Amino acid sequence: MPTLEPPRARYKQVAEALRAAIHRGDYPPGSTLPSQPELAREYGLNQSSISRSIAMLQAEGLIRTEHGRGSVVLDVPTVKRVRRIDKDYRTSPGGSSYAEQVTRSGRTPRTPLVQCEAIVPPPEIAEVLQLAEGEEALIRKRHMLAEEKPVQIATSYIPMAVAGTVDIAFPDTGPSG
């Protein structure tokens, strides 16, 4: 007996068509998708369905919605990270590495360490870390790039009473931080 595929929601079909058009280059980075009313007319759907399609593309990191401009196609899609920390991560590669995940998405990663020193942190950080006034913390800031374009800035603060020295920031601390 042949297996039948379940029917797919129309908003998912619209998202799929727009996704394919973005990947083909019909909508290059920086360009805007047609407005939601235009898409609703083109696909014969209501704007609520089109909004769901746009929300899917935004959740995938393909577009961002700007007030007064519409849905703008992103240059570098967002790289979604799902951290898997194996209990034996110290002895075997974990799979939660940013570089590993960016490489798997077909891009070239780079993560330069741009700041690593003992500082008096901003007041809101000191408050969260429950530091006394003037007490120092280690700041470790990395820029996470894909194809030399910024994707994420990772900043960690560790109380110096815990860190002991800035040396703990070298080399990479591994998947559990």
Side-chain angles (χ1 to χ4, degrees):
M1 176 182 296
T3 305
L4 298 175
E5 288 187 32
R8 287 180 315 140
R10 291 172 49 173
Y11 78 92
K12 289 182 180 180
Q13 294 176 50
V14 171
E16 186 176 295
L18 292 171
R19 184 183 309 108
I22 290 169
H23 288 304
R24 273 194 316 270
D26 297 351
Y27 300 107
S31 68
T32 56
L33 297 179
S35 71
Q36 289 189 24
E38 290 171 334
L39 291 169
R41 280 191 298 278
E42 181 180 340
Y43 288 98
L45 297 174
N46 60 36
Q47 273 191 247
S48 154
S49 294
I50 297 299
S51 285
R52 291 178 77 182
S53 302
I54 296 298
M56 283 182 69
L57 298 176
Q58 192 164 353
E60 293 169 17
L62 292 173
I63 62 169
R64 75 171 174 271
T65 303
E66 293 181 8
H67 182 70
R69 188 156 177 228
S71 300
V72 180
V73 178
L74 296 177
D75 190 16
V76 177
T78 302
V79 176
K80 292 195 177 218
R81 295 186 68 197
V82 177
R83 290 179 65 85
R84 283 190 346 242
I85 299 176
D86 297 334
K87 63 180 179 170
D88 299 322
Y89 76 89
R90 291 184 191 278
T91 57
S92 65
S96 63
S97 157
Y98 168 79
E100 206 176 286
Q101 292 179 356
V102 169
T103 300
R104 254 190 264 127
S105 75
R107 294 181 162 45
T108 303
R110 192 167 72 86
T111 310
L113 180 64
V114 295
Q115 185 179 9
C116 184
E117 61 185 314
I119 64 163
V120 174
E124 61 275 10
I125 301 296
E127 182 182 336
V128 170
L129 295 177
Q130 301 176 351
L131 299 178
E133 189 174 327
E135 192 174 347
E136 290 188 327
L138 166 66
I139 182 172
R140 182 173 190 262
K141 184 184 284 188
R142 296 174 297 148
H143 289 175
M144 300 165 114
L145 311 170
E147 303 300 324
E148 292 303 310
K149 293 184 172 87
V151 174
Q152 179 177 332
I153 295 174
T155 305
S156 302
Y157 292 91
I158 304 168
M160 286 307 293
V162 174
T165 173
V166 296
D167 293 340
I168 71 161
F170 304 101
D172 192 344
T173 56
S176 65

